[in-house]
Amino acid sequence: MTETLKDRLLQALIDSKNIEKKDVDAALRLQKTKKISLDKALIEQGLINEKDLLILLVKELHIPSINLSKYKIDPTLQEIISERVARQYRIIPISRLGNTITIALSDPFNIFAIDDLKNITSKEIDVVMSTDSEIMKAVDIYYGTKGAASVTEISKDISMDNFEVLSEDTTEIGEDSTGEGEQAPIIRMVNLVIKEALKANASDIHIEPTTDNVRVRFRVDGILRDVLNIPKQNQNAVIVRIKIMSRLDITTNRIPQDGRFKLKTVNQVVDFRVSLLPTIFGQKIVMRVLDKKSLSIGLEGLGFSPKSIEQLQDAIKKPFGMILVTGPTGSGKSTTLYSIINQLNTVDRNIITVEDPVEYLIEGLTQIQARPEIGLTFAEGLRSILRQSPDIVMVGEIRDSETADIAIKASLTGQLVFSTLHTNDAAGALTRLVDMGVEPFLVASSLVMVSAQRLCRKICINCKEPAKIPAKVLDDLGLNLPSGKTFYQGKGCDICRQTGYRGRMGVTEILDVDDPVREMLIKGASSDEIKNFAIKESGMTTLWDDMVDKFKAGSTTIEEVLRVTSKD
């Protein structure tokens, strides 16, 4: 029987790596079972790594390899091979000479892909080799920064059937208008952006006009990343479309606007909060994705430690008092508060919130949108709330002394009050309220608990692998860990989009305001003194300690520890 190229490669693998034939056979079975390429099957089985496999392929098949990170790709090739095709076949076009296009691929045995590319491009296909991860990284860079294709071209395969835009009263917004923002390609383009954002679990969609085009970015796990560019000539149409969806005034362009809409897909209804801001290049749009499913997973699902959950659960059982969640913008304060409120949302409780803006619309709550321009501030809203006989009150944020004073007095007269504050740590919230002009004895009497919070990225479980961390790095950070301890990192895969991270979890520092802490506050102790006392006497877990615990448990990386927190 004639030996095929595939057989020759596998035999070379057995000879060069001292691998047993049964292991290769297991990889071939895995390839058939999971319907993946041969190179992926060999790598998944741990028989060889990407770089060694590339060297072996080049040697045995006499196909040249290329370092994509140092190669400048011809931008005109995007007109011949689209991003969708490149991702589908896991290839990237390199160059064109006459009627021949050279592509880089990692699986030279995929002759069907080469044949399909010949039919798609109507050109001859020549191949060079690279690793799969390098190819997909190059695709992200190459197509992510390209000159924008036409909206019609980008959106031609996007279906409108899976999307139903709803107004606040859940009535459908019709698609029969003939305005610029209602043209079918524009609708499909906006649908595409939203669909990809939901697929990527993005928390925000940024649509930013620039000099030459409209840049679209997603915030995924707290990090912004480029997605695509929309042609400049379609800028107004996209903005109008989103304004129509959000029921905003399409004739107003010079002042900020805020709106919201619901989107009904096959599996879920998702809320979007929309903010438009005029810039020198046009209106910038940020759409916050508000998925209510995250509120029903409970505090355990937010990644809090068992100790933190126990402290929070004890605090929310109190009949009255104030509970504060602190942290910078984007640290998950609202999600934590809504998750707690969702847990307390029973028929026998009157729960009222005053927010700016109202993030999640939750059945069973009375939610008030603060409007400072008409005099409905947090303080005024809170005064009105207290005349509605509430059991639980949530104030979106304590921004001034008046709001702080009313909220604290409400907590002393029988209500359980939740709110947020911008401070770096838990102890800082106590002195911050005093700095706002609230009497120390009132702060001491009202506060039940303060939770400082951050969000850190979790290692992708699909590509999680052991990591080597120099002992000196651990020693410099004061991490006394046992020798032989295994640490982890994410290698990067399609599921996590080559980042090595997927999802986030909460990091907390919870200060129980007990009698000794109250006495210290009344006597004028500083936030550092209160914090040191709580650590020493009450065993308070700091943000740094909680983050290090998550690193030790293999849930996150040392890079995330240093990015999110700092050692005092």
Side-chain angles (χ1 to χ4, degrees):
M1 183 181 290
T2 307
E3 185 182 44
T4 65
L5 288 173
K6 185 175 179 180
D7 294 332
R8 200 170 81 209
L9 171 69
L10 294 174
Q11 189 58 49
L13 180 64
I14 292 170
D15 295 339
S16 65
K17 296 292 179 181
N18 295 320
I19 296 169
E20 295 187 19
K21 189 174 185 303
K22 64 178 183 178
D23 294 326
V24 173
D25 291 339
L28 291 172
R29 287 195 297 272
L30 178 69
Q31 179 192 10
K32 289 180 181 178
T33 305
K34 297 183 73 172
K35 297 181 180 179
I36 56 177
S37 61
L38 176 61
D39 61 321
K40 280 199 169 185
L42 292 170
I43 293 166
E44 272 197 35
Q45 284 291 97
L47 302 181
I48 194 169
N49 62 42
E50 271 194 321
K51 289 186 179 177
D52 288 345
L53 179 58
L54 177 63
I55 292 168
L56 188 64
L57 286 167
V58 169
K59 179 181 175 183
E60 294 298 323
L61 305 181
H62 306 291
I63 300 174
S65 64
I66 188 171
N67 185 344
L68 289 173
S69 64
K70 297 182 178 179
Y71 194 89
K72 186 172 176 62
I73 302 171
D74 181 359
T76 62
L77 292 173
Q78 297 172 34
E79 300 170 5
I80 300 172
I81 296 180
S82 68
E83 180 181 4
R84 181 176 59 82
V85 171
R87 290 190 184 279
Q88 179 181 344
Y89 294 105
R90 307 188 76 78
I91 59 96
I92 188 163
I94 298 296
S95 62
R96 175 175 56 181
L97 183 63
N99 197 46
T100 301
I101 292 178
T102 301
I103 64 166
L105 46 65
S106 63
D107 180 14
F109 300 108
N110 191 354
I111 56 174
F112 299 108
I114 297 171
D115 288 342
D116 286 350
L117 288 168
K118 284 181 181 179
N119 292 329
I120 290 168
T121 62
S122 301
K123 297 185 184 297
E124 293 299 312
I125 302 295
D126 199 3
V127 299
V128 294
M129 296 290 302
S130 186
T131 63
D132 184 70
S133 60
E134 286 297 317
I135 288 169
M136 298 314 294
K137 184 178 178 181
V139 167
D140 287 339
I141 295 170
Y142 179 55
Y143 289 96
T145 58
K146 67 182 191 298
S150 72
V151 165
T152 303
E153 175 65 26
I154 294 172
S155 64
K156 65 182 180 183
D157 297 324
I158 307 302
S159 170
M160 290 186 287
D161 298 337
N162 295 331
F163 288 80
E164 184 180 346
V165 180
L166 306 173
S167 66
E168 282 307 299
D169 57 3
T170 71
T171 55
E172 182 179 357
I173 296 175
E175 307 290 4
D176 56 353
S177 173
T178 57
E180 187 182 13
E182 292 294 314
Q183 297 166 8
I186 297 299
I187 296 172
R188 285 198 294 264
M189 164 57 37
V190 175
N191 285 356
L192 167 65
V193 170
I194 294 173
K195 182 178 181 181
E196 288 301 311
L198 294 176
K199 191 189 298 184
N201 291 320
S203 60
D204 300 273
I205 304 168
H206 290 241
I207 300 175
E208 308 163 86
T210 66
T211 15
D212 305 317
N213 51 45
V214 180
R215 181 189 191 191
V216 179
R217 295 190 291 172
F218 294 162
R219 188 179 293 279
V220 181
D221 295 336
I223 307 296
L224 276 172
R225 58 181 67 164
D226 273 321
V227 180
L228 76 141
N229 291 331
I230 298 171
K232 189 71 174 177
Q233 63 264 31
N234 297 111
Q235 174 178 315
N236 289 337
V238 169
I239 291 171
V240 168
R241 171 61 188 162
I242 293 171
K243 282 187 174 183
I244 290 170
M245 293 164 67
S246 310
R247 294 294 173 93
L248 295 174
D249 184 355
I250 63 174
T251 65
T252 301
N253 299 312
R254 296 183 180 180
I255 61 172
Q257 290 178 278
D258 294 300
R260 61 191 306 137
F261 64 89
K262 293 177 186 287
L263 191 71
K264 184 179 180 182
T265 65
V266 176
N267 302 317
Q268 63 193 47
V269 175
V270 182
D271 289 322
F272 289 82
R273 194 184 79 210
V274 181
S275 171
L276 286 94
L277 186 70
T279 72
I280 57 173
F281 298 119
Q283 290 178 288
K284 175 180 174 177
I285 300 173
V286 176
M287 292 189 279
R288 169 66 58 90
V289 184
L290 303 169
D291 189 356
K292 290 181 186 175
K293 287 191 298 184
S294 63
L295 306 183
S296 59
I297 60 176
L299 297 172
E300 296 84 356
L302 298 176
F304 293 168
S305 67
K307 179 182 175 183
S308 297
I309 292 171
E310 185 180 350
Q311 288 176 291
L312 283 166
Q313 294 289 8
D314 286 344
I316 65 177
K317 290 175 184 174
K318 305 284 185 184
F320 59 87
M322 177 182 278
I323 295 170
L324 289 178
V325 179
T326 75
T329 302
S331 60
K333 301 187 297 296
S334 295
T335 302
T336 298
L337 281 185
Y338 274 112
S339 297
I340 293 171
I341 293 291
N342 209 42
Q343 179 182 328
L344 298 173
N345 186 14
T346 56
V347 70
D348 59 322
R349 290 189 176 105
N350 179 20
I351 303 176
I352 308 180
T353 75
V354 54
E355 308 165 64
D356 184 19
V358 174
E359 300 228 5
Y360 296 92
L361 302 176
I362 300 177
E363 188 176 348
L365 303 189
T366 302
Q367 295 174 273
I368 300 169
Q369 169 73 55
R371 297 188 183 277
E373 67 276 11
I374 61 170
L376 183 53
T377 61
F378 277 128
E380 285 301 318
L382 193 47
R383 282 195 187 94
S384 301
I385 283 175
L386 298 178
R387 293 193 287 271
Q388 294 280 318
S389 182
D391 298 299
I392 297 171
V393 173
M394 187 179 92
V395 184
E397 183 184 342
I398 293 178
R399 297 177 180 173
D400 52 55
S401 57
E402 189 179 12
T403 307
D405 187 60
I406 299 169
I408 283 174
K409 287 175 180 174
S411 70
L412 292 171
T413 55
Q415 282 83 34
L416 187 59
V417 177
F418 294 91
S419 191
T420 67
L421 198 62
H422 288 275
T423 59
N424 291 326
D425 57 14
L430 280 67
T431 53
R432 175 70 186 280
L433 290 171
V434 173
D435 291 341
M436 281 183 170
V438 182
E439 292 292 342
F441 74 90
L442 289 177
V443 177
S445 302
S446 63
L447 273 180
V448 172
M449 187 206 75
V450 182
S451 172
Q453 182 172 311
R454 301 290 187 275
L455 290 175
C456 77
R457 293 184 291 174
K458 296 189 289 187
I459 298 172
C460 173
I461 59 173
N462 187 63
C463 61
K464 188 174 182 177
E465 64 176 11
K468 293 181 180 178
I469 301 175
K472 187 176 185 307
V473 173
L474 299 174
D475 290 341
D476 289 346
L477 294 173
L479 301 181
N480 299 316
L481 302 173
S483 59
K485 172 74 176 173
T486 304
F487 307 104
Y488 296 93
Q489 65 183 9
K491 181 181 179 181
C493 64
D494 292 342
I495 291 176
C496 65
R497 304 198 172 201
Q498 308 303 326
T499 63
Y501 299 97
R502 183 166 174 80
R504 289 188 289 176
M505 55 186 170
V507 183
T508 55
E509 173 182 297
I510 296 180
L511 173 65
D512 286 318
V513 185
D514 53 16
D515 289 338
V517 170
R518 292 188 178 100
E519 287 177 17
M520 291 183 72
L521 181 61
I522 291 170
K523 290 177 180 177
S526 68
S527 60
D528 286 340
E529 289 172 334
I530 293 172
K531 181 175 183 177
N532 291 333
F533 175 84
I535 294 170
K536 185 178 178 181
E537 301 298 328
S538 307
M540 182 178 76
T541 302
T542 64
L543 288 167
W544 171 264
D545 293 334
D546 194 23
M547 192 75 201
V548 168
D549 287 343
K550 287 174 167 55
F551 165 62
K552 289 178 181 177
S555 302
T556 192
T557 63
I558 191 69
E559 290 82 6
E560 276 295 282
V561 173
L562 297 173
R563 183 183 74 86
V564 174
T565 60
S566 62
K567 189 174 183 182
D568 295 335

PDB file of all heavy atoms in Angstrom, residues 262 271 292 295 338 341-347 349 351 360-367:
ATOM      1  N   LYS A 262     -35.244  47.149  24.927  1.00  0.00           N
ATOM      2  CA  LYS A 262     -35.153  45.713  25.181  1.00  0.00           C
ATOM      3  C   LYS A 262     -34.964  45.018  23.841  1.00  0.00           C
ATOM      4  O   LYS A 262     -35.481  45.476  22.824  1.00  0.00           O
ATOM      5  CB  LYS A 262     -36.443  45.190  25.826  1.00  0.00           C
ATOM      6  CG  LYS A 262     -36.727  45.687  27.225  1.00  0.00           C
ATOM      7  CD  LYS A 262     -38.072  45.127  27.697  1.00  0.00           C
ATOM      8  CE  LYS A 262     -38.478  45.696  29.042  1.00  0.00           C
ATOM      9  NZ  LYS A 262     -37.676  45.142  30.126  1.00  0.00           N
ATOM     10  N   ASP A 271     -31.944  43.767  28.352  1.00  0.00           N
ATOM     11  CA  ASP A 271     -32.076  45.226  28.421  1.00  0.00           C
ATOM     12  C   ASP A 271     -30.775  45.880  27.985  1.00  0.00           C
ATOM     13  O   ASP A 271     -29.687  45.381  28.290  1.00  0.00           O
ATOM     14  CB  ASP A 271     -32.391  45.677  29.852  1.00  0.00           C
ATOM     15  CG  ASP A 271     -33.802  45.316  30.280  1.00  0.00           C
ATOM     16  OD1 ASP A 271     -34.697  45.402  29.438  1.00  0.00           O
ATOM     17  OD2 ASP A 271     -33.994  44.944  31.448  1.00  0.00           O
ATOM     18  N   LYS A 292     -30.495  40.229  32.949  1.00  0.00           N
ATOM     19  CA  LYS A 292     -31.063  39.946  34.278  1.00  0.00           C
ATOM     20  C   LYS A 292     -30.695  38.565  34.801  1.00  0.00           C
ATOM     21  O   LYS A 292     -30.837  38.295  35.987  1.00  0.00           O
ATOM     22  CB  LYS A 292     -32.587  40.062  34.224  1.00  0.00           C
ATOM     23  CG  LYS A 292     -33.083  41.491  34.059  1.00  0.00           C
ATOM     24  CD  LYS A 292     -34.602  41.534  34.046  1.00  0.00           C
ATOM     25  CE  LYS A 292     -35.101  42.932  33.736  1.00  0.00           C
ATOM     26  NZ  LYS A 292     -36.567  42.976  33.606  1.00  0.00           N
ATOM     27  N   LEU A 295     -28.524  38.396  37.837  1.00  0.00           N
ATOM     28  CA  LEU A 295     -29.054  38.753  39.149  1.00  0.00           C
ATOM     29  C   LEU A 295     -29.639  37.561  39.886  1.00  0.00           C
ATOM     30  O   LEU A 295     -29.799  37.588  41.096  1.00  0.00           O
ATOM     31  CB  LEU A 295     -30.132  39.832  39.002  1.00  0.00           C
ATOM     32  CG  LEU A 295     -29.744  41.098  38.230  1.00  0.00           C
ATOM     33  CD1 LEU A 295     -30.895  42.077  38.250  1.00  0.00           C
ATOM     34  CD2 LEU A 295     -28.490  41.724  38.799  1.00  0.00           C
ATOM     35  N   TYR A 338     -28.155  44.643  43.362  1.00  0.00           N
ATOM     36  CA  TYR A 338     -29.355  44.096  42.728  1.00  0.00           C
ATOM     37  C   TYR A 338     -29.536  42.617  43.078  1.00  0.00           C
ATOM     38  O   TYR A 338     -30.656  42.139  43.248  1.00  0.00           O
ATOM     39  CB  TYR A 338     -29.284  44.262  41.210  1.00  0.00           C
ATOM     40  CG  TYR A 338     -29.779  45.595  40.706  1.00  0.00           C
ATOM     41  CD1 TYR A 338     -28.914  46.518  40.137  1.00  0.00           C
ATOM     42  CD2 TYR A 338     -31.132  45.924  40.777  1.00  0.00           C
ATOM     43  CE1 TYR A 338     -29.366  47.736  39.661  1.00  0.00           C
ATOM     44  CE2 TYR A 338     -31.591  47.137  40.297  1.00  0.00           C
ATOM     45  CZ  TYR A 338     -30.715  48.045  39.740  1.00  0.00           C
ATOM     46  OH  TYR A 338     -31.172  49.246  39.273  1.00  0.00           O
ATOM     47  N   ILE A 341     -30.968  42.642  46.549  1.00  0.00           N
ATOM     48  CA  ILE A 341     -32.360  43.107  46.497  1.00  0.00           C
ATOM     49  C   ILE A 341     -33.264  42.035  45.889  1.00  0.00           C
ATOM     50  O   ILE A 341     -34.389  41.806  46.340  1.00  0.00           O
ATOM     51  CB  ILE A 341     -32.456  44.422  45.682  1.00  0.00           C
ATOM     52  CG1 ILE A 341     -31.754  45.575  46.413  1.00  0.00           C
ATOM     53  CG2 ILE A 341     -33.907  44.776  45.392  1.00  0.00           C
ATOM     54  CD1 ILE A 341     -32.449  46.035  47.680  1.00  0.00           C
ATOM     55  N   ASN A 342     -32.751  41.369  44.855  1.00  0.00           N
ATOM     56  CA  ASN A 342     -33.516  40.307  44.203  1.00  0.00           C
ATOM     57  C   ASN A 342     -33.833  39.195  45.193  1.00  0.00           C
ATOM     58  O   ASN A 342     -34.915  38.612  45.183  1.00  0.00           O
ATOM     59  CB  ASN A 342     -32.713  39.759  43.018  1.00  0.00           C
ATOM     60  CG  ASN A 342     -33.602  39.227  41.913  1.00  0.00           C
ATOM     61  OD1 ASN A 342     -34.606  39.830  41.569  1.00  0.00           O
ATOM     62  ND2 ASN A 342     -33.231  38.084  41.360  1.00  0.00           N
ATOM     63  N   GLN A 343     -32.884  38.900  46.068  1.00  0.00           N
ATOM     64  CA  GLN A 343     -33.075  37.868  47.096  1.00  0.00           C
ATOM     65  C   GLN A 343     -34.118  38.307  48.128  1.00  0.00           C
ATOM     66  O   GLN A 343     -34.899  37.487  48.635  1.00  0.00           O
ATOM     67  CB  GLN A 343     -31.731  37.588  47.779  1.00  0.00           C
ATOM     68  CG  GLN A 343     -31.800  36.549  48.876  1.00  0.00           C
ATOM     69  CD  GLN A 343     -30.453  36.353  49.553  1.00  0.00           C
ATOM     70  OE1 GLN A 343     -29.404  36.494  48.935  1.00  0.00           O
ATOM     71  NE2 GLN A 343     -30.471  36.030  50.834  1.00  0.00           N
ATOM     72  N   LEU A 344     -34.140  39.612  48.438  1.00  0.00           N
ATOM     73  CA  LEU A 344     -35.065  40.135  49.448  1.00  0.00           C
ATOM     74  C   LEU A 344     -36.436  40.488  48.870  1.00  0.00           C
ATOM     75  O   LEU A 344     -37.347  40.862  49.616  1.00  0.00           O
ATOM     76  CB  LEU A 344     -34.460  41.388  50.092  1.00  0.00           C
ATOM     77  CG  LEU A 344     -33.141  41.194  50.856  1.00  0.00           C
ATOM     78  CD1 LEU A 344     -32.577  42.544  51.281  1.00  0.00           C
ATOM     79  CD2 LEU A 344     -33.350  40.296  52.070  1.00  0.00           C
ATOM     80  N   ASN A 345     -36.568  40.387  47.553  1.00  0.00           N
ATOM     81  CA  ASN A 345     -37.788  40.821  46.865  1.00  0.00           C
ATOM     82  C   ASN A 345     -38.917  39.804  47.038  1.00  0.00           C
ATOM     83  O   ASN A 345     -39.133  38.926  46.211  1.00  0.00           O
ATOM     84  CB  ASN A 345     -37.468  41.032  45.380  1.00  0.00           C
ATOM     85  CG  ASN A 345     -38.649  41.621  44.617  1.00  0.00           C
ATOM     86  OD1 ASN A 345     -39.607  42.115  45.198  1.00  0.00           O
ATOM     87  ND2 ASN A 345     -38.577  41.560  43.292  1.00  0.00           N
ATOM     88  N   THR A 346     -39.625  39.909  48.146  1.00  0.00           N
ATOM     89  CA  THR A 346     -40.758  39.028  48.416  1.00  0.00           C
ATOM     90  C   THR A 346     -42.028  39.864  48.543  1.00  0.00           C
ATOM     91  O   THR A 346     -41.977  41.094  48.700  1.00  0.00           O
ATOM     92  CB  THR A 346     -40.530  38.231  49.713  1.00  0.00           C
ATOM     93  OG1 THR A 346     -40.280  39.146  50.792  1.00  0.00           O
ATOM     94  CG2 THR A 346     -39.346  37.289  49.570  1.00  0.00           C
ATOM     95  N   VAL A 347     -43.160  39.194  48.496  1.00  0.00           N
ATOM     96  CA  VAL A 347     -44.447  39.888  48.448  1.00  0.00           C
ATOM     97  C   VAL A 347     -44.734  40.679  49.733  1.00  0.00           C
ATOM     98  O   VAL A 347     -45.510  41.648  49.721  1.00  0.00           O
ATOM     99  CB  VAL A 347     -45.585  38.879  48.158  1.00  0.00           C
ATOM    100  CG1 VAL A 347     -45.822  37.960  49.358  1.00  0.00           C
ATOM    101  CG2 VAL A 347     -46.873  39.579  47.744  1.00  0.00           C
ATOM    102  N   ARG A 349     -42.664  42.543  51.402  1.00  0.00           N
ATOM    103  CA  ARG A 349     -41.772  43.691  51.585  1.00  0.00           C
ATOM    104  C   ARG A 349     -42.058  44.768  50.550  1.00  0.00           C
ATOM    105  O   ARG A 349     -42.279  44.475  49.370  1.00  0.00           O
ATOM    106  CB  ARG A 349     -40.310  43.259  51.468  1.00  0.00           C
ATOM    107  CG  ARG A 349     -39.795  42.393  52.612  1.00  0.00           C
ATOM    108  CD  ARG A 349     -38.272  42.224  52.468  1.00  0.00           C
ATOM    109  NE  ARG A 349     -37.709  41.474  53.591  1.00  0.00           N
ATOM    110  CZ  ARG A 349     -37.317  40.204  53.500  1.00  0.00           C
ATOM    111  NH1 ARG A 349     -37.449  39.555  52.363  1.00  0.00           N
ATOM    112  NH2 ARG A 349     -36.799  39.602  54.552  1.00  0.00           N
ATOM    113  N   ILE A 351     -40.220  47.427  48.644  1.00  0.00           N
ATOM    114  CA  ILE A 351     -38.852  47.817  48.304  1.00  0.00           C
ATOM    115  C   ILE A 351     -38.908  48.950  47.280  1.00  0.00           C
ATOM    116  O   ILE A 351     -39.540  48.817  46.223  1.00  0.00           O
ATOM    117  CB  ILE A 351     -38.056  46.631  47.725  1.00  0.00           C
ATOM    118  CG1 ILE A 351     -38.046  45.462  48.724  1.00  0.00           C
ATOM    119  CG2 ILE A 351     -36.625  47.055  47.401  1.00  0.00           C
ATOM    120  CD1 ILE A 351     -37.363  44.207  48.204  1.00  0.00           C
ATOM    121  N   TYR A 360     -31.424  47.916  36.048  1.00  0.00           N
ATOM    122  CA  TYR A 360     -32.245  46.740  35.781  1.00  0.00           C
ATOM    123  C   TYR A 360     -33.688  47.030  36.173  1.00  0.00           C
ATOM    124  O   TYR A 360     -33.944  47.553  37.255  1.00  0.00           O
ATOM    125  CB  TYR A 360     -31.750  45.535  36.575  1.00  0.00           C
ATOM    126  CG  TYR A 360     -30.368  45.071  36.206  1.00  0.00           C
ATOM    127  CD1 TYR A 360     -29.256  45.552  36.882  1.00  0.00           C
ATOM    128  CD2 TYR A 360     -30.166  44.145  35.182  1.00  0.00           C
ATOM    129  CE1 TYR A 360     -27.977  45.129  36.558  1.00  0.00           C
ATOM    130  CE2 TYR A 360     -28.890  43.718  34.845  1.00  0.00           C
ATOM    131  CZ  TYR A 360     -27.805  44.212  35.533  1.00  0.00           C
ATOM    132  OH  TYR A 360     -26.541  43.790  35.216  1.00  0.00           O
ATOM    133  N   LEU A 361     -34.614  46.697  35.299  1.00  0.00           N
ATOM    134  CA  LEU A 361     -36.040  46.820  35.620  1.00  0.00           C
ATOM    135  C   LEU A 361     -36.499  45.500  36.219  1.00  0.00           C
ATOM    136  O   LEU A 361     -36.508  44.465  35.544  1.00  0.00           O
ATOM    137  CB  LEU A 361     -36.843  47.147  34.353  1.00  0.00           C
ATOM    138  CG  LEU A 361     -36.427  48.437  33.623  1.00  0.00           C
ATOM    139  CD1 LEU A 361     -37.212  48.599  32.336  1.00  0.00           C
ATOM    140  CD2 LEU A 361     -36.617  49.642  34.521  1.00  0.00           C
ATOM    141  N   ILE A 362     -36.870  45.523  37.499  1.00  0.00           N
ATOM    142  CA  ILE A 362     -37.193  44.285  38.212  1.00  0.00           C
ATOM    143  C   ILE A 362     -38.633  44.321  38.702  1.00  0.00           C
ATOM    144  O   ILE A 362     -39.055  45.271  39.371  1.00  0.00           O
ATOM    145  CB  ILE A 362     -36.233  44.083  39.408  1.00  0.00           C
ATOM    146  CG1 ILE A 362     -34.793  44.003  38.895  1.00  0.00           C
ATOM    147  CG2 ILE A 362     -36.589  42.831  40.188  1.00  0.00           C
ATOM    148  CD1 ILE A 362     -33.759  43.871  39.981  1.00  0.00           C
ATOM    149  N   GLU A 363     -39.358  43.288  38.348  1.00  0.00           N
ATOM    150  CA  GLU A 363     -40.760  43.188  38.755  1.00  0.00           C
ATOM    151  C   GLU A 363     -40.844  43.063  40.273  1.00  0.00           C
ATOM    152  O   GLU A 363     -40.088  42.331  40.901  1.00  0.00           O
ATOM    153  CB  GLU A 363     -41.394  41.962  38.093  1.00  0.00           C
ATOM    154  CG  GLU A 363     -42.894  41.873  38.293  1.00  0.00           C
ATOM    155  CD  GLU A 363     -43.502  40.705  37.536  1.00  0.00           C
ATOM    156  OE1 GLU A 363     -42.810  40.113  36.678  1.00  0.00           O
ATOM    157  OE2 GLU A 363     -44.670  40.383  37.814  1.00  0.00           O
ATOM    158  N   GLY A 364     -41.757  43.814  40.880  1.00  0.00           N
ATOM    159  CA  GLY A 364     -41.946  43.761  42.315  1.00  0.00           C
ATOM    160  C   GLY A 364     -41.307  44.919  43.049  1.00  0.00           C
ATOM    161  O   GLY A 364     -41.592  45.135  44.227  1.00  0.00           O
ATOM    162  N   LEU A 365     -40.421  45.675  42.360  1.00  0.00           N
ATOM    163  CA  LEU A 365     -39.786  46.841  42.979  1.00  0.00           C
ATOM    164  C   LEU A 365     -40.470  48.120  42.501  1.00  0.00           C
ATOM    165  O   LEU A 365     -40.989  48.183  41.388  1.00  0.00           O
ATOM    166  CB  LEU A 365     -38.303  46.930  42.606  1.00  0.00           C
ATOM    167  CG  LEU A 365     -37.384  45.759  42.925  1.00  0.00           C
ATOM    168  CD1 LEU A 365     -35.934  46.175  42.662  1.00  0.00           C
ATOM    169  CD2 LEU A 365     -37.542  45.276  44.344  1.00  0.00           C
ATOM    170  N   THR A 366     -40.441  49.145  43.344  1.00  0.00           N
ATOM    171  CA  THR A 366     -40.832  50.491  42.924  1.00  0.00           C
ATOM    172  C   THR A 366     -39.542  51.237  42.630  1.00  0.00           C
ATOM    173  O   THR A 366     -38.755  51.511  43.540  1.00  0.00           O
ATOM    174  CB  THR A 366     -41.621  51.209  44.028  1.00  0.00           C
ATOM    175  OG1 THR A 366     -42.780  50.426  44.351  1.00  0.00           O
ATOM    176  CG2 THR A 366     -42.042  52.594  43.576  1.00  0.00           C
ATOM    177  N   GLN A 367     -39.294  51.537  41.354  1.00  0.00           N
ATOM    178  CA  GLN A 367     -38.018  52.137  40.955  1.00  0.00           C
ATOM    179  C   GLN A 367     -38.237  53.567  40.442  1.00  0.00           C
ATOM    180  O   GLN A 367     -39.092  53.812  39.588  1.00  0.00           O
ATOM    181  CB  GLN A 367     -37.341  51.282  39.878  1.00  0.00           C
ATOM    182  CG  GLN A 367     -36.942  49.910  40.405  1.00  0.00           C
ATOM    183  CD  GLN A 367     -36.406  48.983  39.326  1.00  0.00           C
ATOM    184  OE1 GLN A 367     -37.174  48.280  38.660  1.00  0.00           O
ATOM    185  NE2 GLN A 367     -35.086  48.977  39.150  1.00  0.00           N
TER     186      GLN A 367
END
